[in-house]
Amino acid sequence: MTDQTVSPEFAKATTTAQRVLINGNELAVEVLGPEGAPVIITHHGAPGLGSRAEPRASFGRLADEYRVVVFDARGSGESEGSGEFSHEQWAADIDALRQWVGAEKIVMAGGSYGGFMSMEYAVRYPEHVTAVVLRDTSPDNGNAHLARENALASDRVSVDMEKFDRIDEGRVRDNDDLYDCWLEILPLYDFAYDPAAAARKAAATPYRYRAHNYAFSQNLPNYDLKPQLAELDVPLLITVGRHDWITPVSCSETIAGLVAGSELVVFEKSGHSPQIEEVDEWTQTVRAFLHRVAPPSALRALAGE
């Protein structure tokens, strides 16, 4: 198991990024892996809290065979934050990145809110999607009441529900307030709870409260991709931790029931982050799926293609 105290999941990126002008905003972008390999574009979770550090660590493991694009979304991490933070805009930014990197088709990948955006991209731009990889996510906002119930039932901590509701409804006042509310719920995320590690994660998180507030107050109340997902015709891998409190297994099961031929893998010793908590198993699962649906050039050569 990866050391939870140094997990990049909720942390600022420490690597150097290019500044790329995408739809009027400069985004912090990194491109990993060999030229000419199949392209994976990954989207981090938690707008206003997440960064490219997590997908760089998780999907970046595949950069020995794939061209992996990681970036801070508009309004998050080190990227600029002008304009609106709608799903339509974020999906358009992904497509502009696809064009910038020179790929006609991509594998779209992401976890948590990055999973929301991966599905949004796939249903909005299906002609440019080879496959989709999801982690710990939901097809609609139905996970919100489940998360609230799980927070109330937690035997780890007694959550201040006033702070919970403010972060959940996108009503935080500023970055300091976002930090305070975030610290309140971080103990719920991991399979193995370490209070000191949760505090370190809160201290390392990049705070951009405007993007967070927009996402949770404007985007999520009407978020529901179930009708569009039922029409999606693309290879889809869904991974989820058995003990995920915020996007529980039932949410992933709903996605699997909607998309014909999709694959669902549950990781029994993980919370919201099997890519960290069961790192080897998760990575092997994703790599095996991609080898089948978007093989790198070496495998295509062996197959005689």
Side-chain angles (χ1 to χ4, degrees):
M1 180 184 296
T2 297
D3 182 356
Q4 298 298 295
T5 65
V6 296
S7 159
E9 185 172 18
F10 304 122
K12 296 177 183 177
T14 58
T15 50
T16 302
Q18 301 179 62
R19 306 293 297 182
V20 181
L21 186 63
I22 296 293
N23 293 330
N25 264 240
E26 274 196 356
L27 303 186
V29 182
E30 295 183 61
V31 181
L32 315 172
E35 293 185 10
V39 173
I40 305 172
I41 295 183
T42 69
H43 203 293
H44 62 77
L49 290 163
S51 81
R52 66 187 187 277
E54 185 277 323
R56 191 186 199 283
S58 54
F59 289 99
R61 301 173 199 135
L62 305 171
D64 57 335
E65 296 181 306
Y66 293 89
R67 191 81 159 160
V68 181
V69 179
V70 301
F71 68 104
D72 293 341
R74 172 188 302 246
S76 293
E78 298 172 350
S79 290
E80 288 186 336
S82 62
E84 67 176 26
F85 307 123
S86 65
H87 285 188
E88 180 180 10
Q89 182 62 70
W90 279 329
D93 290 349
I94 296 168
D95 199 56
L97 274 173
R98 174 194 63 77
Q99 295 175 56
W100 171 79
V101 82
E104 178 62 25
K105 287 182 172 286
I106 62 168
V107 175
M108 189 65 221
S112 196
Y113 207 112
F116 300 172
M117 289 313 307
S118 294
M119 289 182 283
E120 286 276 13
Y121 184 80
V123 301
R124 291 171 184 268
Y125 301 88
E127 68 276 16
H128 294 302
V129 178
T130 299
V132 178
V133 179
L134 303 176
R135 175 194 56 76
D136 297 84
T137 193
S138 178
D140 60 19
N141 199 33
N143 69 295
H145 77 274
L146 299 174
R148 197 174 199 281
E149 291 172 3
N150 288 336
L152 285 167
S154 174
D155 59 2
R156 290 182 174 182
V157 291
S158 179
V159 177
D160 182 331
M161 296 309 293
E162 192 273 334
K163 292 181 181 179
F164 180 95
D165 288 340
R166 281 195 293 112
I167 194 171
D168 185 57
E169 296 168 7
R171 296 188 287 108
V172 299
R173 295 182 290 269
D174 52 30
N175 286 340
D176 289 339
D177 189 37
L178 182 54
Y179 164 82
D180 200 32
C181 294
W182 184 231
L183 184 60
E184 193 71 23
I185 64 174
L186 264 176
L188 304 174
Y189 278 85
D190 291 332
F191 175 63
Y193 175 42
D194 179 348
R200 284 191 287 271
K201 289 178 184 180
T205 298
Y207 295 95
R208 303 282 296 276
Y209 81 98
R210 289 185 176 86
H212 169 84
N213 278 355
Y214 193 104
F216 281 77
S217 67
Q218 302 299 313
N219 295 341
L220 292 190
N222 298 313
Y223 169 65
D224 185 356
L225 292 179
K226 295 194 300 296
Q228 296 97 314
L229 287 172
E231 302 299 320
L232 189 63
D233 182 20
V234 65
L236 175 65
L237 173 66
I238 312 152
T239 65
V240 62
R242 174 66 69 187
H243 306 279
D244 186 346
W245 77 280
I246 193 167
T247 49
V249 172
S250 61
C251 299
S252 289
E253 291 173 337
T254 297
I255 299 170
L258 290 167
V259 182
S262 58
E263 303 176 34
L264 171 62
V265 182
V266 180
F267 293 84
E268 299 296 334
K269 295 181 180 180
S270 293
H272 191 60
S273 305
Q275 83 285 14
I276 294 167
E277 297 179 295
E278 295 181 78
V279 55
D280 292 337
E281 296 86 347
W282 183 87
T283 305
Q284 290 165 8
T285 297
V286 174
R287 191 184 293 274
F289 170 76
L290 292 177
H291 279 184
R292 293 195 303 274
V293 303
S297 55
L299 288 184
R300 292 199 301 270
L302 287 174
E305 297 182 17

